Amino acid sequence: MIQKSAILNFPKSLLDRPVISRIIKEFDVEVNILQASITPEEDGRMFAIFRGQGQQVNSALSYLKESGIKVFLPVKNLVWDEDRCVHCTACVGQCPSSAFTVEQETYQVTYDAARCIACELCIPACSYGAVASVSDNLRIRGDV
Ligand code: SF4
Ligand code: SF4
């Protein structure tokens, strides 16, 4: 069993096609949709986690690509600078995968890199510079 996070961009022409229900049925893949936004004026965007047997997940993602959907597999993770974090929770509401969560009793924010799908929605939400993409972080440090 494997799990892959992916960002899907649907062209307008595919917005009314049941491609997700089709891959669930045909490839026996579990799809956990973390966030989806579709407007009549724009293409659709979805963040989802695909879970199933390795070959089936890969075939399902290939099917989506062949259908005309752009599939992005995040290859970078986020860097959370805990020392800069003031636990304001602004990132928690932006995070579609619950990588950022807040402990209800202590109000402490924590980051779970394993859940991060690298959508980067939390970066502009953080006014304290506590989150950056790996590539930005390397640039800041002068490593690239
Ligand atoms: S990049 Fe930020 S908002 Fe996106 S999944 Fe990772 S922690 Fe959550
Ligand atoms: S938005 Fe920034 S400062 Fe606020 S909790 Fe998230 S990481 Fe910490």
Side-chain angles (χ1 to χ4, degrees):
M1 191 75 81
I2 65 161
Q3 171 171 304
K4 281 191 179 180
S5 306
I7 300 170
L8 310 179
N9 272 11
F10 290 72
K12 280 192 199 84
S13 58
L14 290 177
L15 290 181
D16 58 352
R17 302 257 187 93
V19 284
I20 296 297
S21 60
R22 193 151 179 197
I23 61 165
I24 292 169
K25 274 189 198 160
E26 286 196 14
F27 300 98
D28 194 22
V29 169
E30 192 181 305
V31 182
N32 182 9
I33 299 172
L34 303 170
Q35 194 179 73
S37 61
I38 297 175
T39 63
E41 301 81 28
E42 297 172 3
D43 294 353
R45 190 163 220 245
M46 178 188 287
F47 303 131
I49 296 175
F50 299 80
R51 196 176 290 117
Q53 299 303 321
Q55 189 51 45
Q56 298 294 82
V57 170
N58 292 333
S59 298
L61 292 173
S62 296
Y63 170 81
L64 293 177
K65 281 185 202 166
E66 284 157 17
S67 301
I69 294 166
K70 287 185 183 151
V71 179
F72 301 96
L73 300 178
V75 292
K76 56 186 180 179
N77 254 334
L78 201 74
V79 176
W80 179 45
D81 185 344
E82 197 170 350
D83 291 339
R84 285 184 171 215
C85 178
V86 299
H87 301 272
C88 69
T89 75
C91 55
V92 176
Q94 293 297 318
C95 181
S97 66
S98 300
F100 271 117
T101 52
V102 59
E103 169 61 45
Q104 293 303 318
E105 291 184 359
T106 61
Y107 295 104
Q108 294 291 294
V109 169
T110 57
Y111 169 63
D112 179 355
R115 296 189 64 87
C116 179
I117 59 171
C119 68
E120 301 190 357
L121 290 174
C122 55
I123 294 175
C126 180
S127 307
Y128 300 91
V131 284
S133 68
V134 169
S135 52
D136 285 346
N137 194 267
L138 290 174
R139 220 171 292 126
I140 290 163
R141 288 169 39 200
D143 292 347
V144 291

